[in-house]
Amino acid sequence: NGNTCTGSNALLHQMEVEGLRSKLTHAEEAQAAAEGDLDALQEHSQAVLEDCRVLQAKLLHLEAQQAGHPAKGDFQEQQAQLESKLQNFQAELRIKTDETTALLDARRELDVLRDALEAKDAPAARVQELENACLELCEAREAERERHRAQVK
């Protein structure tokens, strides 16, 4: 009877480990997708930053022209439009930076989950807690992305 309990415990432990491995595989896939998103996000952030610099240069040029021709209202309108675009790009850059931070946090949580699985004696509840935290970060990142898309439109 003692052997049956030990066998059952070993089987239960093996099932938990297999479940953790499955969760780890899922988390690794999510990490790979998040890393791809992060790379794309970083490229897009660089493009946005470059656009901000171009707009800033145009704004300075228009201000210089306006100083020479203060009677022209068209320059003031163009300046206001460019300033508005610059503010939008800066807001987008802040959002992208927040998304990048969230992805990095998720990556760290995934590393903690992987370490817990490798330790084999980590409590299943802690692993579940870490997995949930990782998934919440990914969901928050996606929600932020959706809010940003709605803002841009």
Side-chain angles (χ1 to χ4, degrees), residues 81-142:
Q81 290 173 351
L82 288 173
E83 285 175 348
S84 176
K85 285 182 180 180
L86 179 60
Q87 288 174 351
N88 288 339
F89 280 129
Q90 288 171 335
E92 185 177 340
L93 183 60
R94 281 191 298 277
I95 289 169
K96 299 296 183 187
T97 301
D98 291 344
E99 289 178 354
T100 300
T101 301
L103 284 171
L104 291 173
D105 289 344
R107 189 180 293 167
R108 282 191 288 276
E109 287 293 327
L110 183 61
D111 289 341
V112 170
L113 177 64
R114 188 177 290 117
D115 291 344
L117 181 61
E118 289 172 1
K120 291 185 182 178
D121 62 343
R126 176 67 178 144
V127 172
Q128 182 66 40
E129 177 184 319
L130 292 172
E131 180 183 10
N132 290 341
C134 186
L135 291 174
E136 287 174 14
L137 285 170
C138 291
E139 289 170 0
R141 177 187 53 85
E142 185 61 32

Side-chain angles (χ1 to χ4, degrees), residues 62-82:
L62 288 174
E63 286 175 344
Q65 284 182 340
Q66 185 180 1
H69 305 286
K72 297 194 177 194
D74 288 343
F75 289 120
Q76 289 176 337
E77 185 177 325
Q78 286 179 344
Q79 179 181 358
Q81 290 173 351
L82 288 173

